Coordinates of all heavy atoms in Angstrom, one line a residue:
W524 N -6.0 40.4 1.1 CA -6.2 39.0 0.8 C -7.1 38.9 -0.3 O -8.2 39.5 -0.3 CB -6.8 38.3 2.1 CG -6.7 36.8 2.0 CD1 -5.9 36.0 1.1 CD2 -7.3 35.8 2.8 NE1 -6.1 34.7 1.4 CE2 -6.9 34.5 2.5 CE3 -8.2 36.0 3.9 CZ2 -7.4 33.4 3.1 CZ3 -8.7 34.8 4.5 CH2 -8.3 33.6 4.1
K525 N -6.8 38.2 -1.4 CA -7.6 38.1 -2.6 C -8.7 37.2 -2.6 O -9.5 37.1 -3.5 CB -6.6 37.8 -3.8 CG -6.0 36.4 -3.7 CD -5.1 36.0 -4.9 CE -4.6 34.6 -4.8 NZ -3.7 34.3 -5.9
E526 N -8.7 36.2 -1.6 CA -9.8 35.3 -1.5 C -11.1 36.1 -1.3 O -11.3 36.9 -0.4 CB -9.6 34.3 -0.3 CG -8.4 33.4 -0.5 CD -8.6 32.4 -1.6 OE1 -9.8 32.1 -2.0 OE2 -7.6 32.0 -2.3
N527 N -12.2 35.7 -2.0 CA -13.4 36.5 -2.0 C -14.7 35.7 -1.7 O -15.7 36.3 -1.5 CB -13.6 37.2 -3.3 CG -13.8 36.2 -4.5 OD1 -13.5 35.0 -4.3 ND2 -14.3 36.6 -5.6
K528 N -14.6 34.4 -1.5 CA -15.8 33.6 -1.2 C -15.6 32.8 0.1 O -14.7 31.9 0.1 CB -16.1 32.7 -2.4 CG -16.6 33.4 -3.6 CD -17.0 32.4 -4.7 CE -17.5 33.2 -5.9 NZ -18.0 32.2 -7.0
F529 N -16.4 33.1 1.1 CA -16.3 32.4 2.3 C -17.7 32.0 2.9 O -18.7 32.7 2.5 CB -15.6 33.2 3.4 CG -14.1 33.4 3.1 CD1 -13.7 34.6 2.7 CD2 -13.2 32.3 3.3 CE1 -12.3 34.8 2.4 CE2 -11.9 32.5 3.0 CZ -11.4 33.7 2.6
K530 N -17.8 31.0 3.7 CA -19.0 30.6 4.2 C -18.9 30.3 5.8 O -19.9 30.5 6.5 CB -19.6 29.3 3.5 CG -21.0 28.9 3.9 CD -22.0 29.9 3.5 CE -23.4 29.4 3.8 NZ -23.8 28.3 2.9
H531 N -17.7 29.8 6.2 CA -17.6 29.4 7.6 C -16.3 30.0 8.2 O -15.3 30.1 7.5 CB -17.5 27.9 7.6 CG -18.7 27.2 7.0 ND1 -19.9 27.1 7.5 CD2 -18.8 26.6 5.8 CE1 -20.7 26.5 6.7 NE2 -20.1 26.1 5.6
I532 N -16.4 30.2 9.5 CA -15.2 30.8 10.2 C -15.3 30.3 11.6 O -16.3 30.1 12.2 CB -15.1 32.3 10.1 CG1 -13.9 32.8 10.8 CG2 -16.4 32.9 10.8 CD1 -13.6 34.3 10.6
T533 N -14.1 30.0 12.2 CA -14.0 29.6 13.6 C -12.5 30.0 14.0 O -11.7 30.5 13.2 CB -14.2 28.1 13.8 OG1 -14.3 27.9 15.2 CG2 -13.1 27.2 13.2
V534 N -12.3 29.8 15.3 CA -11.0 30.1 15.8 C -10.5 29.0 16.7 O -11.3 28.3 17.4 CB -11.1 31.4 16.7 CG1 -12.0 31.2 17.9 CG2 -9.7 31.8 17.2
N535 N -9.1 28.7 16.6 CA -8.6 27.5 17.4 C -8.0 28.0 18.7 O -8.1 29.2 19.0 CB -7.6 26.8 16.5 CG -6.3 27.7 16.2 OD1 -6.1 28.7 16.8 ND2 -5.6 27.2 15.2
D536 N -7.5 27.1 19.4 CA -6.9 27.4 20.7 C -5.8 28.3 20.8 O -5.5 29.0 21.8 CB -6.5 26.1 21.5 CG -7.7 25.2 21.8 OD1 -8.9 25.7 21.7 OD2 -7.5 24.0 22.1
K537 N -5.1 28.5 19.6 CA -4.0 29.4 19.5 C -4.4 30.8 19.1 O -3.6 31.7 18.9 CB -3.0 28.8 18.4 CG -2.4 27.5 18.8 CD -1.5 26.9 17.7 CE -1.0 25.5 18.0 NZ -0.2 25.0 16.9
G538 N -5.7 31.0 18.9 CA -6.2 32.3 18.5 C -6.1 32.5 17.0 O -6.3 33.6 16.5
Q539 N -5.8 31.5 16.3 CA -5.7 31.6 14.8 C -7.1 31.4 14.2 O -7.9 30.6 14.7 CB -4.7 30.5 14.2 CG -3.3 30.7 14.8 CD -2.5 29.4 14.5 OE1 -3.0 28.4 14.3 NE2 -1.1 29.6 14.6
L540 N -7.3 32.1 13.1 CA -8.6 32.0 12.4 C -8.6 30.8 11.4 O -7.6 30.6 10.7 CB -8.9 33.3 11.7 CG -9.2 34.6 12.6 CD1 -9.4 35.7 11.6 CD2 -10.4 34.4 13.5
I541 N -9.7 30.2 11.3 CA -9.9 29.1 10.3 C -11.1 29.4 9.5 O -12.1 29.6 10.0 CB -10.0 27.7 11.0 CG1 -8.8 27.4 11.9 CG2 -10.1 26.6 9.9 CD1 -9.0 26.2 12.8
L542 N -10.9 29.5 8.2 CA -12.0 30.0 7.3 C -12.1 28.9 6.2 O -11.2 28.3 5.8 CB -11.7 31.3 6.7 CG -11.4 32.5 7.6 CD1 -10.0 32.7 7.9 CD2 -12.0 33.8 7.0
A543 N -13.3 28.9 5.6 CA -13.6 28.0 4.5 C -14.7 28.5 3.7 O -15.7 29.2 4.2 CB -14.0 26.6 5.0
A544 N -14.6 28.3 2.4 CA -15.7 28.6 1.4 C -16.5 27.3 1.4 O -16.2 26.3 1.8 CB -15.1 28.9 0.0
E545 N -17.7 27.5 0.9 CA -18.7 26.4 0.8 C -18.2 25.3 -0.1 O -18.4 24.1 0.2 CB -20.1 26.9 0.4 CG -21.2 25.8 0.4 CD -22.5 26.4 0.0 OE1 -22.6 27.6 -0.4 OE2 -23.5 25.7 0.2
F546 N -17.6 25.7 -1.2 CA -17.1 24.7 -2.1 C -15.6 24.8 -2.4 O -15.1 24.3 -3.4 CB -17.8 24.8 -3.5 CG -19.3 24.8 -3.4 CD1 -20.0 26.0 -3.5 CD2 -20.0 23.7 -3.0 CE1 -21.4 26.0 -3.4 CE2 -21.4 23.7 -2.9 CZ -22.1 24.9 -3.1
G547 N -14.9 25.5 -1.4 CA -13.5 25.7 -1.7 C -12.5 25.2 -0.6 O -12.8 24.2 0.1
N548 N -11.4 25.8 -0.5 CA -10.3 25.4 0.4 C -10.6 25.9 1.8 O -11.5 26.7 2.1 CB -9.0 25.9 -0.1 CG -8.6 25.4 -1.5 OD1 -9.0 24.3 -1.9 ND2 -7.9 26.2 -2.3
V549 N -9.8 25.3 2.7 CA -9.8 25.7 4.1 C -8.5 26.4 4.4 O -7.4 25.9 4.0 CB -10.0 24.5 5.1 CG1 -10.0 25.0 6.5 CG2 -11.4 23.9 4.7
F550 N -8.6 27.6 5.1 CA -7.4 28.4 5.4 C -7.2 28.5 6.9 O -8.1 28.7 7.6 CB -7.5 29.7 4.7 CG -7.7 29.7 3.2 CD1 -9.0 29.8 2.7 CD2 -6.7 29.6 2.4 CE1 -9.3 29.8 1.4 CE2 -6.9 29.6 1.0 CZ -8.2 29.7 0.5
I551 N -5.9 28.5 7.3 CA -5.6 28.8 8.7 C -4.7 30.1 8.6 O -3.7 30.2 7.9 CB -4.7 27.7 9.3 CG1 -5.5 26.4 9.3 CG2 -4.4 28.1 10.8 CD1 -4.7 25.2 9.8
I552 N -5.2 31.2 9.3 CA -4.5 32.5 9.2 C -4.2 33.0 10.5 O -4.8 32.7 11.6 CB -5.4 33.5 8.3 CG1 -6.6 33.9 9.2 CG2 -5.8 32.9 7.0 CD1 -7.4 35.1 8.6
E553 N -3.2 33.9 10.5 CA -2.8 34.6 11.7 C -3.1 36.1 11.4 O -2.6 36.6 10.4 CB -1.3 34.4 12.0 CG -0.7 35.2 13.2 CD -1.4 34.7 14.5 OE1 -1.2 33.5 14.9 OE2 -2.0 35.5 15.2
D554 N -3.8 36.8 12.4 CA -4.1 38.2 12.1 C -4.0 39.0 13.4 O -4.8 39.9 13.7 CB -5.5 38.2 11.5 CG -5.9 39.6 11.0 OD1 -4.9 40.3 10.4 OD2 -7.0 40.1 11.1
T555 N -3.0 38.7 14.2 CA -2.9 39.4 15.5 C -2.2 40.8 15.2 O -2.7 41.8 15.4 CB -2.0 38.6 16.4 OG1 -2.7 37.3 16.6 CG2 -1.9 39.3 17.8
N556 N -0.9 40.7 14.7 CA -0.2 41.9 14.4 C -0.2 42.2 12.8 O -0.5 43.3 12.4 CB 1.2 41.9 14.9 CG 1.2 41.8 16.4 OD1 0.4 42.5 17.1 ND2 2.0 40.9 17.0
T557 N 0.2 41.2 12.1 CA 0.2 41.2 10.7 C -0.6 40.0 10.1 O -0.7 39.0 10.8 CB 1.6 41.2 10.1 OG1 2.3 40.0 10.5 CG2 2.5 42.4 10.6
F558 N -1.2 40.2 8.9 CA -2.0 39.2 8.3 C -1.0 38.2 7.6 O -0.1 38.5 6.9 CB -2.9 39.8 7.3 CG -3.8 38.7 6.6 CD1 -4.9 38.3 7.2 CD2 -3.4 38.2 5.4 CE1 -5.7 37.3 6.6 CE2 -4.1 37.3 4.8 CZ -5.3 36.8 5.3
K559 N -1.3 36.9 7.8 CA -0.5 35.8 7.2 C -1.3 34.6 7.1 O -1.9 34.1 8.0 CB 0.8 35.6 8.0 CG 1.8 34.5 7.4 CD 3.0 34.3 8.2 CE 3.9 33.3 7.5 NZ 5.1 33.1 8.3

Side-chain angles (χ1 to χ4, degrees):
W524 197 13
K525 65 180 181 179
E526 294 293 332
N527 63 342
K528 292 186 178 182
F529 290 108
K530 187 68 177 289
H531 306 281
I532 184 170
T533 188
V534 61
N535 63 17
D536 292 345
K537 300 176 183 178
Q539 299 164 342
L540 294 177
I541 304 171
L542 303 94
E545 186 175 9
F546 308 106
N548 300 328
V549 178
F550 304 92
I551 304 173
I552 68 169
E553 179 65 59
D554 193 35
T555 304
N556 297 317
T557 59
F558 179 85
K559 183 179 181 181

